[in-house]
């Protein structure tokens, strides 16, 4: 039961943070996609850095529970395209959609309902889609830790790579505003 309360608290806190960043505003999301609003993409990259760092230390303490799913080029690629189309049409990703509903945005309610309907359809068709979309290009479980040989090296690479991304977004996207 404590896991549920901890998850509810973490989700609420994250929703508060993404609301404060402006990620619940579809207009700001559209500007971010047009490379005219740098704060949201910078925030996203920083979230990945902080999450990976937290997961690294939880794993080192023996408290992390992770499940690495195999990568499928077609399944992941098609899912990414569908995700991007939905994000472009609605102005919300699945995380920001929930926070926008909490903020009282009516358009986010319809986005949330559409996302739930899509998830239900995928769950219903999952067993049929696996052999068609997933298995032909299944590459197995790939992780940065496997590539670098040690989780600390992978975390260091991720922090540097995404940190450079945060810096570049700030430099290049702000130059377009001037």
């Amino acid at each position: 039961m404590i896991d549920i309360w901890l998850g509810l608290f973490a989700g609420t806190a994250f929703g508060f943070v993404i609301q404060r960043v402006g990620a619940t505003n579809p207009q700001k999301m559209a500007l971010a996609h047009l490379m005219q609003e740098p704060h949201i993409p910078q925030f996203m990259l920083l979230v990945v850095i902080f999450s990976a760092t937290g997961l690294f230390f939880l794993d080192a303490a023996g408290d992390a529970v992770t499940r690495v799913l195999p990568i499928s080029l077609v399944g992941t690629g098609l899912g990414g395209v569908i995700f991007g189309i939905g994000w472009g049409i609605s102005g919300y990703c699945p995380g920001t959609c929930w926070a926008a509903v909490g903020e009282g945005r009516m358009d986010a309610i319809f986005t949330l309902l559409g996302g739930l309907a899509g998830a239900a359809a995928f769950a219903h068709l999952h067993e049929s889609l696996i052999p068609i979309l997933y298995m032909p290009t299944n590459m197995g479980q790939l992780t940065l830790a496997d590539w670098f040989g040690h989780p600390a090296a992978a975390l260091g690479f991720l922090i540097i790579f995404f940190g450079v991304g945060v810096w570049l977004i700030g430099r290049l996207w702000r130059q377009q505003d001037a």
Side-chain angles (χ1 to χ4, degrees):
M1 187 65 178
I2 194 164
D3 289 345
I4 294 173
W5 286 109
L6 189 60
L8 185 61
F9 173 76
T12 303
F14 187 67
F16 176 78
V17 170
I18 62 175
Q19 194 277 335
R20 297 306 305 157
V21 168
T24 57
N25 182 336
Q27 179 66 25
K28 284 187 85 170
M29 287 293 238
L31 290 174
H33 287 125
L34 294 171
M35 299 175 71
Q36 296 175 358
E37 203 294 314
H39 298 112
I40 293 174
Q42 288 176 317
F43 168 73
M44 291 175 171
L45 293 179
L46 287 172
V47 166
V48 173
I49 290 172
F50 290 132
S51 298
T53 303
L55 185 60
F56 173 81
F57 285 111
L58 283 174
D59 190 47
D63 290 331
V65 178
T66 58
R67 181 175 165 213
V68 179
L69 297 175
I71 293 176
S72 167
L73 291 179
V74 173
T76 305
L78 183 61
V81 168
I82 293 171
F83 179 87
I85 290 171
W87 196 352
I89 290 173
S90 69
Y92 300 107
C93 72
T96 61
C97 179
W98 284 92
V101 168
E103 193 179 74
R105 292 183 180 269
M106 288 301 293
D107 57 337
I109 292 173
F110 293 103
T111 302
L112 179 64
L113 293 175
L116 290 173
F122 178 75
H124 181 71
L125 299 172
H126 186 260
E127 293 300 320
S128 302
L129 293 175
I130 291 277
I132 299 168
L133 299 176
Y134 188 76
M135 293 309 290
T137 57
N138 182 357
M139 299 176 63
Q141 296 174 325
L142 299 174
T143 67
L144 280 178
D146 293 337
W147 285 1
F148 287 93
H150 194 276
L155 179 64
F157 170 79
L158 185 136
I159 289 171
I160 292 169
F161 185 76
F162 279 45
V164 168
V166 169
W167 178 75
L168 282 176
I169 288 171
R171 296 279 302 168
L172 299 175
W173 292 15
R174 287 183 186 188
Q175 288 178 353
Q176 290 185 359
D177 290 338

